[in-house]
Amino acid sequence: MEFEDKKMQTVIASDQYLIRLGVKTLLNVIGIESDLYEADSFEELERLVNDVPDLNYLILSEDLLPKQKQDCLKDIKGSCGLCRAIIIGQQKIPNCVFEHFILHSYNRKQVVEKLQLFFLESDSTFGNHDSGTLSDREIDVLKAVALGCSNKEIADQLFISINTVITHRKNITQKLGIKTISGLTVYALMNHFIKAEEVR
Amino acid sequence: MVAFTKNSKMAEVILRDYQLLPIISRFGIKLGFGNKSIEEICTDRNVDLPFFLEILNSYHSIDYFPKNHLCDFNADVMVSYLTNTHSYYLNSKVPHIELFIDRMDQAAQFENSRNVALLKQFFNEYKIDIEHHFSEEEKNVFPYILALEKALKSNNCSPQLLKKIKREPIEIYERNHESLEVKLADMKNLIIRFLPPLNCEDDCEHLLTELFQLECDIEDHTRMEEKVLIPKVKMLERKVLEYYGV
């Protein structure tokens, strides 16, 4: 459709080159297309977590963490917002703020499964690339709806079929979570798509 | 799910489902149940037991569907309960929500005060909608239900009533019974997703909680109209028609 596909942003953090390389290879194997950033020290990780805009995923080896593991993880979680993390380590860290782990004892199959699950799960929650922004065409339809036009009128104005209008309206409602015309009008006014004087 | 019975302890019912609190107060039942059963409480408070149980159960569980209990209570108890519920929404819930919107309005600055004003107007329209909906029911539907019951009791049925059963049965109301929750859901979405942050988190939180609760309550209210009120009225309509041999 007309909206821009946003690329995923992933940070791979480990002080060992081989681990970073291994992770990159596996991501390639399971077909994850993402911009990758590597951190080889905790400081570098902190910098990336703060600097990379819209960071989605963090794959973190515990060898990188200073002594107070749990506290460090809490800090990381605090600064990376909606980003999800998976930890590579000897064993699961008790009471950890992150729930995904890859243990050193896992074989290839287990590691691949874990990684797939990790990317898949987050995809359905917030990794959804369609971040809810409306396309230009959807905004045109939204404006007309907010101004009180019927589907037929909108179709005529925009030179599209009524079915297309209905599809746009469905997508708008799905993206915004707003169902009623008066709700959509408030949204359009809030975002200056239309002016208060124009509303019928 | 097991339904509550007349022997269930009132206190345990509330401990199990605190959302039932506003409902018992609509029946004039006050806290301090001790170990009394629902039946005992109803006797004390002069509340219609079969009807009270229907309401508790249909609010408690979405799947609850009354089958055999529709004959156990009179329509007038139901009508008076529904009327009470309407005034609870309008006199207690709506002013609460308005209060929090006003507080947000006071806290909002610059651009955002325009946004809050839009929300305020949106809720105002909603209020007019529900006032209209409720007054329609109170003016047209409820008197009709009472008339049906009276016709059965008094052995006297006006020709107008018979005409109405045939021309405008409750089924028509059922078909046009519009949902009152959708706009509330929109309002929540507008606040949660699109209203730029205000410096009055507490008021926002209270407002949202009120909206969530009202939405739930109205959903239950609608369900109860659809699952208890309408079947009951259909039964009355059938009986009147049978009785007067039309």
Side-chain angles (χ1 to χ4, degrees):
Chain A
M1 295 280 296
E2 290 151 277
F3 53 83
E4 219 184 321
D5 245 15
K6 242 192 188 165
K7 217 168 179 198
M8 291 193 268
Q9 308 290 325
T10 307
V11 167
I12 302 170
S14 168
D15 60 5
Q16 299 171 48
Y17 167 70
L18 276 178
I19 289 192
R20 299 197 303 271
L21 179 68
V23 169
K24 278 198 281 183
T25 314
L26 279 173
L27 291 188
N28 209 353
V29 169
I30 60 175
I32 300 294
E33 282 179 38
S34 169
D35 287 339
L36 298 178
Y37 302 86
E38 289 182 48
D40 58 5
S41 66
F42 190 69
E43 291 70 35
E44 178 66 7
L45 170 65
E46 280 182 314
R47 192 187 66 75
L48 283 174
V49 162
N50 285 313
D51 288 358
V52 176
D54 300 322
L55 177 63
N56 313 102
Y57 302 104
L58 169 62
I59 301 169
L60 171 61
S61 171
E62 66 175 354
D63 55 50
L64 202 71
L65 297 172
K67 273 270 154 54
Q68 301 292 333
K69 283 183 192 166
Q70 286 164 1
D71 293 341
C72 299
L73 288 172
K74 251 185 222 156
D75 288 348
I76 298 269
K77 174 142 180 122
S79 39
C80 68
L82 286 182
C83 155
R84 318 225 329 161
I86 190 164
I87 315 287
I88 304 172
Q90 277 294 342
Q91 54 198 21
K92 289 188 182 176
I93 301 173
N95 306 323
C96 181
V97 286
F98 299 112
E99 50 181 329
H100 289 274
F101 288 94
I102 295 175
L103 304 188
H104 290 165
S105 57
Y106 284 175
N107 60 26
R108 181 192 150 99
K109 185 165 166 257
Q110 287 169 311
V111 174
V112 167
E113 266 172 15
K114 277 281 169 189
L115 273 178
Q116 271 170 333
L117 192 73
F118 171 63
F119 279 96
L120 192 79
E121 233 181 45
S122 32
D123 203 45
S124 56
T125 45
F126 1 78
N128 213 333
H129 311 307
D130 155 20
S131 54
T133 31
L134 300 180
S135 70
D136 291 347
R137 205 52 166 170
E138 282 163 353
I139 292 177
D140 291 339
V141 174
L142 170 72
K143 280 185 200 165
V145 171
L147 293 175
C149 299
S150 68
N151 285 345
K152 172 84 176 60
E153 286 169 318
I154 300 173
D156 291 347
Q157 273 172 34
L158 301 178
F159 307 104
I160 51 181
S161 74
I162 292 191
N163 270 333
T164 313
V165 176
I166 294 172
T167 311
H168 280 311
R169 289 186 66 160
K170 262 191 211 149
N171 290 340
I172 293 170
T173 292
Q174 202 176 15
K175 284 184 183 176
L176 303 181
I178 302 176
K179 291 195 182 119
T180 63
I181 295 180
S182 35
L184 290 169
T185 309
V186 172
Y187 176 82
L189 285 166
M190 272 188 176
N191 289 285
H192 302 282
F193 292 142
I194 54 170
K195 292 200 183 84
E197 309 86 82
E198 297 174 278
V199 181
R200 270 186 218 170
Chain B
M1 191 176 306
V2 189
F4 299 124
T5 67
K6 62 180 182 174
N7 298 321
S8 310
K9 299 280 182 243
M10 194 69 236
E12 278 164 22
V13 171
I14 298 300
L15 287 170
R16 179 109 70 89
D17 185 355
Y18 77 95
Q19 312 258 30
L20 296 172
L21 267 176
I23 288 134
I24 62 161
S25 68
R26 265 171 241 166
F27 280 91
I29 296 175
K30 303 235 157 59
L31 298 175
F33 312 124
N35 250 343
K36 286 187 176 162
S37 66
I38 293 185
E39 185 175 29
E40 289 166 312
I41 295 274
C42 285
T43 323
D44 284 0
R45 284 269 146 198
N46 213 0
V47 169
D48 189 285
L49 173 69
F51 178 66
F52 183 60
L53 277 174
E54 283 307 279
I55 297 294
L56 276 189
N57 282 316
S58 63
Y59 270 74
H60 175 60
S61 150
I62 301 177
D63 310 318
Y64 179 76
F65 195 87
K67 284 181 209 98
N68 310 317
H69 307 297
L70 287 176
C71 311
D72 296 352
F73 58 87
N74 290 334
D76 59 341
V77 224
M78 185 166 51
V79 166
S80 98
Y81 166 80
L82 289 171
T83 316
N84 272 346
T85 314
H86 290 170
S87 46
Y88 166 78
Y89 291 146
L90 295 178
N91 301 332
S92 166
K93 288 277 125 184
V94 168
H96 244 106
I97 291 174
E98 286 174 329
L99 177 83
F100 291 120
I101 301 182
D102 276 341
R103 289 214 194 137
M104 283 165 66
D105 197 15
Q106 282 156 20
Q109 290 179 319
F110 313 113
E111 172 76 343
N112 231 357
S113 59
R114 181 180 150 273
N115 293 331
V116 177
L118 286 169
L119 282 180
K120 203 168 166 175
Q121 195 191 337
F122 182 76
F123 188 72
N124 226 354
E125 281 169 26
Y126 177 72
K127 184 176 146 188
I128 295 170
D129 283 357
I130 56 174
E131 277 169 351
H132 178 75
H133 182 110
F134 293 161
S135 82
E136 276 296 300
E137 288 181 347
E138 282 163 29
K139 258 197 297 196
N140 300 321
V141 184
F142 296 170
Y144 170 62
I145 299 170
L146 294 177
L148 285 172
E149 195 163 71
K150 205 171 150 211
L152 283 173
K153 274 195 190 144
S154 65
N155 273 335
N156 180 12
C157 180
S158 69
Q160 289 97 321
L161 185 63
L162 285 176
K163 215 192 247 169
K164 188 166 160 75
I165 299 178
K166 284 188 208 147
R167 287 219 188 126
E168 280 177 86
I170 196 75
E171 212 187 317
I172 295 199
Y173 158 81
E174 187 182 13
R175 244 180 279 148
N176 300 327
H177 198 209
E178 53 185 10
S179 135
L180 292 174
E181 311 93 68
V182 194
K183 274 198 180 165
L184 284 178
D186 281 2
M187 175 122 176
K188 279 173 10 201
N189 255 304
L190 284 165
I191 299 173
I192 296 174
R193 294 192 183 181
F194 305 115
L195 181 69
L198 291 163
N199 281 326
C200 52
E201 290 85 355
D202 274 359
D203 291 324
C204 276
E205 190 186 316
H206 284 306
L207 173 63
L208 281 171
T209 312
E210 285 289 330
L211 288 173
F212 273 103
Q213 279 173 357
L214 182 61
E215 188 188 3
C216 255
D217 201 314
I218 290 193
E219 244 172 64
D220 287 341
H221 177 75
T222 311
R223 202 176 62 232
M224 125 91 202
E225 287 182 334
E226 282 164 8
K227 284 193 174 171
V228 183
L229 178 79
I230 292 173
K232 170 92 184 170
V233 177
K234 283 185 178 164
M235 188 185 79
L236 289 174
E237 284 174 338
R238 234 177 8 251
K239 277 193 182 166
V240 171
L241 288 182
E242 274 166 26
Y243 192 83
Y244 291 95
V246 201

